[in-house]
Amino acid sequence: MKRRYDQYHFSVREWCIFIPQIIGLSFFLNYLFYRSIWGLILLFPVGWLYLREQKKYRLKKLRQQLHYHFKDSVSALHTALRTGYSLENAVKETYLDLLHTYGKKDPMVRELFIMCNQIKLKVPVEELFLDLGVRSHIEDIRTFAEVIQIAKRTGGNLDQILQSIWRTLSDKIETHQEIDAGIAAKKYEQTIISCMPAGIILYLQICFPSLLSEMYTTSAGRIIMTVCLIVYAAAYLLGGKIVEIEI
């Protein structure tokens, strides 16, 4: 079955991991900000937000892996064409090449396996890559499919075209990897800074419990803690967006 890369469905194993994490996070935040059963109920949306962020993270990693390995598939396709294979047979050789390198669970390997089956049904290669580009929302794959389509229609040199596309993809992906390496320390700092407010509140509760007692026993205190929780969550999400750089 063809996969959509704008949707993600958690596996049973992932649910078994996330449910205890959500429960633990809810109890921890309730202990920090409310210490009340009603506070635990108010924190119910935290689980939904956590799952949403996990889906976004996994979809991003999945598309990133697909994008990076698409570059390798273009290289393998180019090599196969230079050795005399037709475009259709080159796709099959590319599938075998990437299968040995990344294994059958890799998203690009799965897509190439689907393409090989559809090629047997006489579906044009450029349509298969265009469909992948649409499903994955990766502009480079759609552009690649359109270039292949034009080259086949006009009789262009696929060898030179694939070499040019591979060089462009390599430069783009290498730039992205350099940026990721450059801001890795900043992401780590952002994670530490995000944990500091919770750490300070926990420290005060343990060492000076009477100092924050008013925050958990009065209406004004609960309102203040709710505002602090909202600001804390907003700052955490904003910090995550700041360190994300798209090319």
Side-chain angles (χ1 to χ4, degrees), residues 85-103:
Y85 286 99
S86 65
L87 183 59
E88 289 74 16
N89 289 329
V91 172
K92 298 176 184 178
E93 291 299 315
T94 300
Y95 163 69
L96 294 174
D97 189 7
L98 266 66
L99 177 63
H100 292 134
T101 304
Y102 299 117

Side-chain angles (χ1 to χ4, degrees), residues 118-181:
Q118 292 191 309
I119 286 173
K120 295 177 182 178
L121 301 176
K122 307 302 181 183
V123 180
V125 173
E126 61 273 18
E127 290 185 11
L128 297 175
F129 277 105
L130 183 60
D131 175 65
L132 175 59
V134 171
R135 286 186 289 111
S136 64
H137 301 278
I138 297 176
E139 188 62 31
D140 288 332
I141 300 179
R142 281 192 288 183
T143 302
F144 171 79
E146 292 168 357
V147 169
I148 293 296
Q149 191 174 35
I150 294 171
K152 288 184 67 176
R153 187 184 305 160
T154 60
N157 190 326
L158 280 177
D159 183 15
Q160 293 181 356
I161 291 172
L162 288 176
Q163 187 174 10
S164 176
I165 292 174
W166 179 80
R167 286 177 179 172
T168 302
L169 278 173
S170 296
D171 292 342
K172 186 174 183 179
I173 289 174
E174 286 174 7
T175 301
H176 197 289
Q177 290 173 332
E178 288 175 2
I179 291 174
D180 283 343

